[in-house]
Amino acid sequence: MSTKRKSRVASSRAPKEEIELSICAFGVDPLTITLPDPSSDMQSVNIKQLILNSTAELWTYTLQNRMRWQSEDGISSKLTRKARGAFEELGIAPSEWSKLASSKIAQISIPVDRLGQNALRLMPWEFFIASALAADPRVPIVRKAVFTQSAKPATPERTNKTILFIQSAPGRLGTAYDFDSEKKLVRSTFSDATVKILENPDIAEIRRCVVDLDPEVIHFAGFDYRQAMAELSADAAGEYPSAIPRVGAWPEDSFDGVVLGDPAQGVVAHHSAEFADALCAGKRGPVMVCLACWHGATALAPELVLAGARSCFCFQDILDDEFAETILSSFYRFWRDENWKLGPAFTNTLRHLWKQPGGVRGTGIVLLTTDELVARNTPETEPQKTEAAPPLRGKKLADANLPALIGFDIRPHNELNYAMLHNAQPLFKSFRIIRLSDAEFEDLEITVDLCTGPEGKAFRRTTALRVQTLDLTREIVIPLNATLSRQIREAVSSSLFVEIACGGRILHRETHRVRLLPADQWKDSAKDSRWLPSFVLPRDPAVTHVIRDAHKYVKVLRDDPDAGFEGYQVYSSIDDESEHSEDEQIALDLQVQAIWAAIAHECRLVYINPPPTYSDGFDSQRLRTPSTTVNGQMGTCIDLALLFAACLEFVDIYPVIFLLDGHALPGYWRSETAHSRFVCIDNPGDAAVRQSRSSALAGGSKLGDGWVFDESIYEEIRKEIEIGNLVPVESTRLTQVSSFAQAVELGTRALASASGFQCMLDIHIARQLNVTPLPIQE
């Protein structure tokens, strides 16, 4: 394959010694940051470049871990201080942000004619600048591609009459994904255009199609290289990432691209430069390329505008697939409604998303364009409003050809358990209603019934369909007013009934078969292991008995007849844990040791295998409550971990549970301050940042929940253990009446290597995010 690139810039020039980043808005003097040119032959590196490099790494890492800190109190002000501090180091004082923060749209002009990974591409600019602005309402931020060499003429305006949809999920990547709703979305947005669908093409087929069709809009639904490795390595027992062949002699440490099909090898990875050349192989570059994949902004988008694309809509980092499709549907709708004007469409998309329940934060929604959307020192004007079509009612609805007007993407989970329902989790993998034309529907009546006994459980809602895609996946939850879900002892078959009607006309009706799992059944899978905190039951009667027995031990261990369990109140009011006295830290540890002694000496537990389970998966396990463990005097490693964590939570010491391959053990945070700093990523350390970023670049991380810290965070966890902020405890030693010191030593040894580490579950964060204990007891 040829590696000759079709570039928007001339190939020869003498390197400059510096480049400029410019951030501007309507009527505001631009803020300019001068940096050394990475392609120059300078012997010394400008200090600003070093600052930008470290800032890019830290903010990328913060963005990757956004689920971890979003629930933290005061996080907005902390992020603002961090961002403004970084800008001060780059030469921009906080006082310069006042006018920019009041703008309705801001634009950062970024040089994009650099190959490879560097700070300009890696930096999550939207998230970083928004944090510094701290504006309310928030300010939409777009990226303006600036070419430091003589650029080719911009792609002329086109009428969006030729659309190319590329679906790329070759091999096992396609088994868990359905692209039908995305295809319907594109077809409905460009209803009067020619839409060409390519399913799992190789690079040569894409190039041929682009040359023949010369598409104005390209929608890519697939996997970037890192996401593909994360997906495949999750079920391949370490076979990946080396099993995905890479095309071309590109450096491994900076490889970034997409995964496509290949006639000879099945699945191959193409560098972003090669992929961009194929998408821009037509006579004229595309007006818009939408990348429905992860990590599009880092390399794919810059390479696309270099190759000839006019604009690129994409995402900076990891994003939930259904949510990404919702974002794309909103952008397409506003783009069409604004008569293909990019600035108003992007602005309206973000403002619409910010109004949604819970808002949108730290998602890295990126628009990279060669257009000048913000003219310097030019008054800002309001976008033109368009009239919406009247909704379908009465005879118009009765006479309408509904299959051509509305589509459905409804896929329920095959198994449901009480922990899932208890935590208000969706019954469906997807529940979306898709508008396939300009027609709007009024008074849609949605009914979902889950059969759980004589009284059943039901969801009812009446709504309107005015948006392109109405996503109700996370909104359809079932009330816990039926007793069957709590009382069933074994899995039972049940049914889930769905009906959608409008004006008395049935639009969709279907019954799905599901299995209801017992309340004490937990699945140790990537999707369901996150609900383990609900099995930590601090109000179980056995926990009260353990703490009562532990009182005599804590008095002896602390040599104080008045000693008790005050948790972190043992510390003074000093915020910095480095100022805590050694006596205070020992007093905290002795509380934990007293609980250990009470369980070990009073309960007299023995180890036993898990109770039997009957499920479709081999990863299910029946968990014992503290009462069952204590009264039966037996438990598995995870039962013992849950018992110990429940006792810690009861005395207000923050517990964690570590999940390893085939093993589980508890731990605890030694101070609230250490916990807060870990959550807010105050100082992960250069080594941890580099290690975690390397793990992410290798495809090892996927966005999870805020209380789940997967293997990509291992280096940070290990560092906290090493400095004594986080203490792991090998709880199986309770069955051997071992010393507490020995249990801590064995727990530390179990976490000394990343091998076998799955995740750490933080119970305190889970509670903050409403993952509450199950209402079950013996």
Side-chain angles (χ1 to χ4, degrees):
M1 178 181 296
S2 172
T3 58
K4 183 178 179 181
R5 302 209 49 218
K6 170 188 171 184
S7 177
R8 293 176 58 95
V9 297
S11 60
S12 62
R13 74 171 178 98
K16 296 174 60 178
E17 291 191 354
E18 60 184 29
I19 58 177
E20 287 187 348
L21 293 178
S22 178
I23 308 171
C24 63
F26 287 102
V28 179
D29 291 333
L31 307 177
T32 302
I33 304 171
T34 303
L35 300 167
D37 186 340
S39 66
S40 69
D41 297 326
M42 298 172 62
Q43 295 297 317
S44 60
V45 179
N46 189 292
I47 188 65
K48 286 185 179 180
Q49 184 67 52
L50 293 176
I51 293 171
L52 182 62
N53 289 342
S54 61
T55 301
E57 283 191 336
L58 179 58
W59 282 83
T60 298
Y61 188 59
T62 303
L63 177 65
Q64 288 173 345
N65 291 278
R66 60 188 175 273
M67 294 302 293
R68 145 186 186 181
W69 48 257
Q70 283 184 331
S71 64
E72 184 73 8
D73 293 337
I75 188 63
S76 295
S77 59
K78 292 180 182 178
L79 291 174
T80 297
R81 288 195 299 270
K82 283 185 184 180
R84 292 186 175 181
F87 269 107
E88 278 195 272
E89 291 183 298
L90 292 169
I92 299 179
S95 59
E96 299 184 51
W97 292 100
S98 56
K99 290 183 180 179
L100 193 61
S102 62
S103 177
K104 294 183 179 178
I105 185 172
Q107 171 181 288
I108 178 166
S109 299
I110 306 176
V112 294
D113 59 339
R114 316 278 181 226
L115 290 176
Q117 300 283 354
N118 57 55
L120 297 180
R121 293 185 175 190
L122 181 67
M123 173 70 83
W125 292 106
E126 295 76 12
F127 175 44
F128 179 47
I129 296 173
S131 297
L133 294 180
D136 190 17
R138 284 174 274 185
V139 180
I141 299 164
V142 299
R143 303 187 189 189
K144 169 70 165 62
V146 176
F147 305 98
T148 57
Q149 302 161 329
S150 299
K152 285 186 177 182
T155 302
E157 291 286 354
R158 303 171 74 180
T159 56
N160 296 345
K161 294 296 184 182
T162 52
I163 317 300
L164 175 60
F165 184 103
I166 302 173
Q167 170 190 324
S168 182
R172 282 187 291 149
L173 291 171
T175 58
Y177 288 86
D178 188 333
F179 297 91
D180 288 344
S181 59
E182 265 184 88
K183 293 173 186 174
K184 292 177 182 178
L185 164 64
V186 171
R187 284 196 175 106
S188 63
T189 301
F190 306 98
S191 55
D192 58 346
T194 299
V195 179
K196 172 69 174 179
I197 306 291
L198 287 183
E199 295 188 3
N200 296 326
D202 60 18
I203 193 76
E205 185 179 357
I206 292 175
R207 188 180 294 274
R208 286 194 300 269
C209 183
V210 170
V211 170
D212 293 341
L213 186 65
D214 195 19
E216 297 169 274
V217 177
I218 299 177
H219 181 102
F220 175 74
F223 297 83
D224 77 290
Y225 178 61
R226 287 176 269 171
Q227 181 185 5
M229 288 192 296
E231 293 287 340
L232 293 174
S233 62
D235 61 356
E239 176 185 356
Y240 293 90
S242 60
I244 304 181
R246 292 187 294 271
V247 176
W250 301 95
E252 182 175 353
D253 60 350
S254 63
F255 188 88
D256 209 331
V258 299
V259 171
L260 300 175
D262 182 80
Q265 303 182 77
V267 180
V268 295
H270 289 269
H271 193 274
S272 53
E274 302 287 353
F275 182 63
D277 284 343
L279 263 58
C280 299
K283 294 180 180 179
R284 299 171 294 178
V287 171
M288 172 63 67
V289 178
C290 285
L291 299 172
C293 63
W294 296 356
H295 310 112
T298 306
L300 288 170
E303 296 294 347
L304 281 162
V305 296
L306 281 170
R310 184 166 183 150
S311 301
C312 186
F313 185 95
C314 57
F315 305 106
Q316 179 80 27
D317 198 68
I318 300 170
L319 204 66
D320 177 81
D321 295 304
E322 283 74 21
F323 186 47
E325 189 171 329
T326 299
I327 294 172
L328 284 166
S329 68
S330 298
F331 171 69
Y332 278 144
R333 175 171 65 92
F334 285 117
W335 193 30
R336 183 194 61 192
D337 292 348
E338 294 291 346
N339 197 25
W340 314 113
K341 294 179 181 178
L342 198 53
F346 186 68
T347 300
N348 289 338
T349 299
L350 292 182
R351 289 174 179 167
H352 170 71
L353 294 170
W354 290 337
K355 293 177 183 177
Q356 302 308 304
V360 179
R361 182 169 194 180
T363 54
I365 303 170
V366 175
L367 175 64
L368 177 64
T369 179
T370 58
D371 291 346
E372 185 72 52
L373 300 185
V374 179
R376 300 182 183 185
N377 300 313
T378 302
E380 190 169 11
T381 57
E382 289 288 340
Q384 299 269 335
K385 300 296 182 183
T386 57
E387 293 287 334
L392 289 178
R393 289 191 178 95
K395 189 174 186 303
K396 287 185 178 180
L397 175 64
D399 295 339
N401 179 17
L402 293 180
L405 301 180
I406 190 169
F408 304 94
D409 177 23
I410 298 175
R411 290 172 285 131
H413 291 290
N414 296 326
E415 291 186 337
L416 304 172
N417 64 16
Y418 191 81
M420 178 179 172
L421 299 177
H422 172 77
N423 287 293
Q425 290 307 294
L427 295 151
F428 297 85
K429 300 175 184 175
S430 176
F431 195 109
R432 292 181 292 175
I433 305 172
I434 305 165
R435 196 176 63 165
L436 302 178
S437 69
D438 291 335
E440 295 185 355
F441 291 79
E442 198 72 21
D443 298 331
L444 282 178
E445 299 172 1
I446 300 168
T447 301
V448 177
D449 286 321
L450 176 63
C451 180
T452 57
E455 71 271 42
K457 298 180 179 181
F459 171 89
R460 302 281 190 274
R461 179 169 173 178
T462 300
T463 186
L465 180 60
R466 299 190 182 95
V467 296
Q468 200 74 32
T469 300
L470 179 62
D471 191 345
L472 300 176
T473 306
R474 300 186 183 278
E475 297 184 38
I476 298 179
V477 295
I478 294 296
L480 297 177
N481 56 3
T483 58
L484 177 62
S485 294
R486 285 201 306 258
Q487 293 178 347
I488 56 175
R489 298 298 181 185
E490 304 296 343
V492 297
S493 296
S494 184
S495 62
L496 188 64
F497 173 74
V498 178
E499 182 178 278
I500 302 173
C502 183
R505 184 172 178 182
I506 303 298
L507 308 180
H508 178 88
R509 177 185 285 166
E510 190 172 4
T511 299
H512 305 270
R513 179 176 292 275
V514 297
R515 282 164 55 89
L516 297 177
L517 302 181
D520 62 352
Q521 189 156 327
W522 170 75
K523 297 188 71 174
D524 185 11
S525 64
K527 178 173 66 71
D528 294 313
S529 63
R530 55 184 171 155
W531 303 124
L532 189 60
S534 284
F535 292 89
V536 176
L537 309 175
R539 296 193 179 276
D540 186 280
V543 173
T544 304
H545 291 301
V546 168
I547 300 302
R548 183 185 61 197
D549 291 337
H551 268 92
K552 58 187 177 185
Y553 290 96
V554 78
K555 296 177 189 296
V556 172
L557 290 170
R558 294 175 66 179
D559 195 20
D560 182 356
D562 297 323
F565 291 98
E566 62 264 54
Y568 297 123
Q569 294 182 38
V570 71
Y571 292 120
S572 62
S573 59
I574 299 173
D575 291 333
D576 189 347
E577 77 272 3
S578 65
E579 299 295 329
H580 294 155
S581 70
E582 184 178 354
D583 289 342
E584 288 173 330
Q585 292 179 329
I586 292 175
L588 189 282
D589 293 332
L590 290 178
Q591 295 180 60
V592 181
Q593 185 176 350
I595 294 173
W596 174 272
I599 298 175
H601 295 288
E602 306 294 334
C603 298
R604 294 292 180 175
L605 304 175
V606 297
Y607 187 86
I608 192 173
N609 287 328
T613 183
Y614 310 96
S615 175
D616 291 341
F618 296 102
D619 52 5
S620 285
Q621 183 171 338
R622 304 289 287 271
L623 303 181
R624 295 177 174 89
T625 66
S627 287
T628 304
T629 300
V630 171
N631 295 338
Q633 295 184 302
M634 62 185 68
T636 65
C637 63
I638 197 166
D639 297 332
L640 298 170
L642 293 172
L643 169 62
F644 196 71
C647 293
L648 291 176
E649 187 178 16
F650 186 87
V651 298
D652 202 25
I653 294 175
Y654 299 166
V656 300
I657 294 180
F658 300 99
L659 294 182
L660 312 178
D661 290 343
H663 189 46
L665 65 152
Y668 66 96
W669 288 96
R670 295 185 76 197
S671 75
E672 291 176 292
T673 306
H675 179 267
S676 179
R677 287 183 173 179
F678 174 82
V679 171
C680 295
I681 321 178
D682 275 0
N683 183 22
D686 292 341
V689 170
R690 285 195 296 270
Q691 175 67 27
S692 298
R693 181 188 167 202
S694 175
S695 175
L697 290 175
S701 65
K702 295 177 68 175
L703 183 65
D705 298 282
W707 64 93
V708 182
F709 300 93
D710 67 9
E711 63 273 14
S712 68
I713 316 295
Y714 169 77
E715 284 300 322
E716 272 198 75
I717 293 172
R718 185 180 61 83
K719 189 189 76 171
E720 296 295 328
I721 294 173
E722 286 180 351
I723 63 179
N725 288 335
L726 181 62
V727 181
V729 182
E730 180 51 81
S731 53
T732 57
R733 304 299 290 187
L734 286 166
T735 63
Q736 301 175 35
V737 198
S738 297
S739 70
F740 179 67
Q742 186 181 38
V744 171
E745 180 185 351
L746 292 174
T748 303
R749 192 182 303 171
L751 292 163
S753 169
S755 177
F757 179 84
Q758 292 181 0
C759 67
M760 180 184 78
L761 303 168
D762 191 296
I763 309 304
H764 182 70
I765 300 176
R767 301 296 188 239
Q768 288 181 312
L769 297 173
N770 296 318
V771 182
T772 56
L774 293 172
I776 58 174
Q777 62 185 46
E778 188 178 71

